[in-house]
Amino acid sequence: LAMRELKDPALAIWAFREAEKRVEAPARKLGYGLFVAGVYRDQLRDAGKTVVELRRLTRLYPDAPGIDRVEAEIDEIKGGMFGGPGG
């Protein structure tokens, strides 16, 4: 709602972080974190904050299914920021 209707990225980030705190299942927590990263990437176009959020998720959920795709996205973003994979 905050993103679609109100166009308020800061509120959306806050809401996703609150939701992440309130759920117990690691997969759901990861999902909310990915929503936060998506707001930084797609709405705010902030590569630095996107990478920070994605790194946080890889540290918290290193064994999550698909975490290798998150790591690949970090490398891709950093490549765009610094001119090559891995910065």
Side-chain angles (χ1 to χ4, degrees), residues 16 19-20 23 25-38 53 56-57 61 64:
F16 289 136
E20 183 181 354
V23 298
R28 300 229 13 229
K29 288 180 175 288
L30 174 61
Y32 286 120
L34 290 172
F35 282 135
V36 170
E53 182 64 19
R56 180 182 78 84
L57 298 172
Y61 311 106

Side-chain angles (χ1 to χ4, degrees), residues 22-45:
R22 289 170 173 28
V23 298
E24 294 198 22
R28 300 229 13 229
K29 288 180 175 288
L30 174 61
Y32 286 120
L34 290 172
F35 282 135
V36 170
V39 172
Y40 285 136
R41 182 191 60 224
D42 301 331
Q43 305 302 316
L44 298 177
R45 305 222 185 274

Side-chain angles (χ1 to χ4, degrees), residues 8-10 33 48 62 77:
D8 189 341
I77 293 168

Side-chain angles (χ1 to χ4, degrees), residues 3-20:
M3 278 308 306
R4 288 188 307 252
E5 302 296 324
L6 302 177
K7 309 272 192 264
D8 189 341
L11 180 60
I13 290 168
W14 176 84
F16 289 136
R17 290 209 188 281
E18 287 301 308
E20 183 181 354

